[in-house]
Amino acid sequence: MSLPQASQSRVFVELVPWVDRSRENNVVSGGETLPALRRPLSSSAAQAQTAGREVHVSGAAEVSAGPDRAQVAVRVSSTKEAAAEAKKSVCRRLDYIAQSLQQQGLPAENVTVTKDFRRVENAYHMEAEVCITFTEFGKMQNICNFLVEKLDSSVVISQPQFYHTPGSVENLRRQACLVAVENAWRKAQEVCNLVGQTLGKPLLIKEEETKEWEGQIDDHQSSTLSSSLTVQQKIKSATIHAASKVFLTFEVKGKEKKKKHL
């Protein structure tokens, strides 16, 4: 009558090496064979068998960022019978605009001026455009309001166009991935704590999906002409969202037993 085997979850065993490796069983007199002897695993072998335990988790994140740049175009024009008069009228207002921008602390490299001079029938027409790039939207509104108040109707100030620099978009994508990885790591940590295990090192980190889109305004606002939107609505519409989904595999370790000190 054979004895019942001990539960594998409680006893770890390994095969004892034989001198004659070509035979798996021990031959005794009469041609009978005995099963191979087994002995408990050493602590290092037991750790090797448990080293393959893993936890697989997924993580997702969505982040957003408003535009970091805005551009405004200021157009100045004049039509005169004399060429010098047309040029003088436009240049006088250009100087006033440049002086106002300088007083507001706007860097010169953020301002671009283009000029166009042509003859129209029996007169001369000069037109200039000042493109101003802003990084501070509050300052942008103050300057635009000031120019509207001080200059006549021949000066036209466009609605601000908000946009993102290439570096800011790339940073947003990277941030979405990092937050998704952090969420997955926290999930794995909580799972291991729940089942009484210790989370080990990551074995695999894979970004499975990534997407981005611009912010949308509601249906009522979208039916309105873009030029009639407020500044805040324009900023909301230009806001970029980025989402990332990741898959991670972590090693799982058993809880380390504290050694008793004598």
Side-chain angles (χ1 to χ4, degrees), residues 122-135:
N122 296 324
Y124 293 91
H125 179 81
M126 183 171 182
E127 185 172 323
E129 183 178 73
V130 183
C131 289
I132 314 167
T133 301
F134 294 93
T135 57

Side-chain angles (χ1 to χ4, degrees), residues 58-79:
S58 61
E62 179 183 322
V63 295
S64 62
D68 57 351
R69 295 289 188 277
Q71 190 174 74
V72 173
V74 181
R75 297 180 180 87
V76 183
S77 62
S78 178
T79 303

Side-chain angles (χ1 to χ4, degrees), residues 30-259:
E32 296 180 356
T33 60
L34 294 176
L37 296 177
R38 297 168 181 254
R39 62 181 174 82
L41 284 174
S42 63
S43 59
S44 61
Q47 291 176 358
Q49 287 205 6
T50 60
R53 295 185 301 173
E54 300 173 351
V55 57
H56 304 261
V57 293
S58 61
E62 179 183 322
V63 295
S64 62
D68 57 351
R69 295 289 188 277
Q71 190 174 74
V72 173
V74 181
R75 297 180 180 87
V76 183
S77 62
S78 178
T79 303
K80 302 288 185 180
E81 292 183 359
E85 290 297 323
K87 291 181 179 179
K88 182 179 178 180
S89 175
V90 170
C91 290
R92 184 177 67 252
R93 283 173 288 179
L94 286 178
D95 291 341
Y96 183 82
I97 293 172
Q99 183 181 2
S100 301
L101 297 177
Q102 185 178 7
Q103 290 176 349
Q104 293 291 333
L106 201 69
E109 57 268 20
N110 288 10
V111 181
T112 304
V113 180
T114 58
K115 299 176 182 179
D116 178 57
F117 185 74
R118 62 184 181 271
R119 187 162 187 165
V120 181
E121 297 180 351
N122 296 324
Y124 293 91
H125 179 81
M126 183 171 182
E127 185 172 323
E129 183 178 73
V130 183
C131 289
I132 314 167
T133 301
F134 294 93
T135 57
E136 300 177 41
F137 301 155
K139 179 180 289 187
M140 174 195 70
Q141 290 181 285
N142 292 337
I143 291 177
C144 290
N145 293 339
F146 177 80
L147 294 178
V148 168
E149 179 183 354
K150 297 299 181 180
L151 298 175
D152 57 34
S153 59
S154 64
V155 177
V156 179
I157 301 177
S158 70
Q159 292 292 320
Q161 299 297 320
F162 297 95
Y163 64 97
H164 295 259
T165 55
S168 66
V169 176
E170 183 58 35
N171 288 336
L172 189 66
R173 296 191 191 105
R174 185 162 50 248
Q175 183 184 0
C177 180
L178 293 178
V179 175
V181 170
E182 183 180 3
N183 291 341
W185 175 81
R186 292 185 185 278
K187 184 190 296 184
Q189 186 78 47
E190 292 175 1
V191 168
C192 287
N193 291 340
L194 182 65
V195 297
Q197 301 296 303
T198 301
L199 186 66
K201 62 183 179 181
L203 304 176
L204 173 68
I205 301 176
K206 179 182 179 182
E207 187 174 34
E208 294 186 320
E209 182 182 351
T210 177
K211 60 181 180 178
E212 59 188 61
W213 65 96
E214 284 191 345
Q216 299 295 327
I217 55 181
D218 57 46
D219 295 337
H220 175 71
Q221 292 176 349
S222 62
S223 63
T224 308
L225 292 176
S226 176
S227 59
S228 63
L229 295 178
T230 65
V231 170
Q232 291 302 321
Q233 289 171 340
K234 286 178 176 290
I235 292 175
K236 183 179 179 181
S237 179
T239 297
I240 289 183
H241 303 261
S244 176
K245 183 178 180 181
V246 297
F247 177 82
L248 280 75
T249 300
F250 290 92
E251 179 185 32
V252 176
K253 299 178 180 180
K255 287 286 188 182
E256 296 182 359
K257 296 182 178 179
K258 297 181 179 180
K259 296 181 178 180

